[in-house]
Amino acid sequence: MKPSMGERVYLVGVYSVLTIVGLLCLLPLMHIASISTSSLQAVSAGRVTLFPVEMTFAAYTQLFENSPVVSAFNNSVAITLVGVVLSMGFTILAAYPLTRAYFLGRRLFMMGIVFTMLFNGGLIPTYLTIRNLELINTYWALWLPGLVSVFNMLVLRTFIENIPGEIDEASRMDGCGEWRYLLQVVLPLSMPVIATLALFYGVGYWNSFFSVLMYINEPDKYNIAVLVQQLIQSQMMLAQMNGLESSEQLNLSPDMVNSAAIIIMVLPLLFVYPLLQKYFVRGVMIGAVKG
């Protein structure tokens, strides 16, 4: 059936808005990428807009050879991978029992969990707790406070509750216990929402900034987000890399190095997101709507 005139106007409006929003997101990233790959003369003259001018990768070469970017990148990968595994494991273990009707005190536990969404101890009590646990300067200070997101746990719980009861009954008749049912039935069926929540956790850990500044004191343990912030703040960082007096001796400008660092930070997420996009849409919609 052909769409009516009103539907066509609606679709044109929707696509126009989405195109504008997409360009607003894409164009700044293209500008930063162009600055990072253009020559010093082009950047200094303000001739770089959306595409590189006199392309060079000197900023990336300088970053990887003479700055702690590689170390910070590896720290970010370690923080993200371990954090996602821990958070997903505990989120699953928290969500699954709350879907079992025979679990005593289920409503009471739910009320306690939801309570934490509305009230928390605050910044200073949290810092004092982390310090008294002697977790300062360790990555556990980043993983433990946000180990389980209540919102993500509720999404996963709703998804598991929507798995047909007939599957549960058939599994029980085949002698399936709780752990086997969780590992061999629930988790494979929940892969869309698990991939979505893993992406949520991954983006959060990758972009960790304030918590790293607050709990990590050793620069060698900084992640890429904190390092980029320091690069942007310190306009003399470039000259300090090799003990040079001026960045012009490296044929680079601070803007080029800062832009290259931002691209290095953003690039992994740009590669991962398209791989999980199909799960992202299905996971959010199915997990958020109780059918």
Side-chain angles (χ1 to χ4, degrees):
M1 185 176 66
K2 293 184 178 180
S4 64
M5 181 58 70
E7 291 174 336
R8 291 180 181 177
V9 172
Y10 172 77
L11 290 175
V12 170
V14 169
Y15 281 111
S16 300
V17 171
L18 291 178
T19 301
I20 293 172
V21 173
L23 290 176
L24 289 176
C25 297
L26 181 63
L27 295 182
L29 186 61
M30 289 181 62
H31 179 64
I32 292 175
S34 300
I35 290 177
S36 68
T37 54
S38 297
S39 67
L40 174 63
Q41 293 74 19
V43 174
S44 301
R47 291 188 285 122
V48 181
T49 54
L50 298 180
F51 300 101
V53 179
E54 301 171 3
M55 181 175 285
T56 174
F57 293 96
Y60 293 93
T61 303
Q62 191 64 34
L63 273 177
F64 281 105
E65 290 182 350
N66 300 295
S67 80
V69 162
V70 176
S71 173
F73 187 88
N74 292 335
N75 292 339
S76 290
V77 172
I79 292 171
T80 302
L81 290 180
V82 177
V84 169
V85 171
L86 289 175
S87 293
M88 282 309 308
F90 280 91
T91 300
I92 293 170
L93 293 177
Y96 178 71
L98 296 175
T99 63
R100 303 293 90 187
Y102 52 81
F103 180 49
L104 295 177
R106 186 171 61 152
R107 291 184 180 275
L108 183 62
F109 279 107
M110 275 302 304
M111 290 175 61
I113 291 172
V114 173
F115 180 81
T116 63
M117 296 181 71
L118 307 176
F119 304 97
N120 59 69
L123 180 62
I124 295 177
T126 302
Y127 177 82
L128 293 177
T129 302
I130 295 294
R131 190 191 64 178
N132 292 337
L133 291 174
E134 298 182 352
L135 297 178
I136 297 295
N137 238 3
T138 70
Y139 290 146
W140 288 106
L142 310 179
W143 296 322
L144 290 182
L147 192 61
V148 176
S149 163
V150 176
F151 174 79
N152 292 346
M153 190 275 291
L154 293 177
V155 170
L156 181 59
R157 190 207 64 162
T158 304
F159 186 92
I160 295 175
E161 280 183 337
N162 288 333
I163 295 176
E166 290 79 4
I167 296 178
D168 190 7
E169 295 174 2
S171 302
R172 305 300 178 187
M173 292 180 66
D174 289 339
C176 217
E178 289 294 346
W179 281 105
R180 188 179 175 188
Y181 177 67
L182 172 63
L183 297 175
Q184 296 188 356
V185 178
V186 173
L187 294 187
L189 292 176
S190 305
M191 284 311 297
V193 72
I194 288 176
T196 303
L197 299 184
L199 181 62
F200 286 165
Y201 281 124
V203 172
Y205 283 117
W206 184 264
N207 292 327
S208 297
F209 174 72
F210 184 69
S211 56
V212 175
L213 279 181
M214 191 163 57
Y215 298 127
I216 304 298
N217 298 326
E218 296 178 5
D220 291 344
K221 294 182 178 180
Y222 284 167
N223 63 350
I224 191 73
V226 174
L227 184 67
V228 169
Q229 183 265 346
Q230 290 185 340
L231 284 173
I232 293 174
Q233 278 196 340
S234 175
Q235 294 298 310
M236 296 300 296
M237 180 69 74
L238 183 61
Q240 295 172 357
M241 288 177 179
N242 280 333
L244 300 176
E245 295 181 356
S246 170
S247 60
E248 292 181 356
Q249 291 177 261
L250 298 173
N251 203 27
L252 295 172
S253 73
D255 287 341
M256 294 171 62
V257 178
N258 294 339
S259 300
I262 293 173
I263 293 300
I264 292 172
M265 177 181 172
V266 172
L267 212 55
L269 294 181
L270 294 180
F271 279 113
V272 170
Y273 184 78
L275 300 177
L276 299 178
Q277 186 182 16
K278 59 179 180 181
Y279 299 112
F280 181 79
V281 176
R282 290 173 55 195
V284 169
M285 294 303 296
I286 296 175
V289 180
K290 186 173 183 178

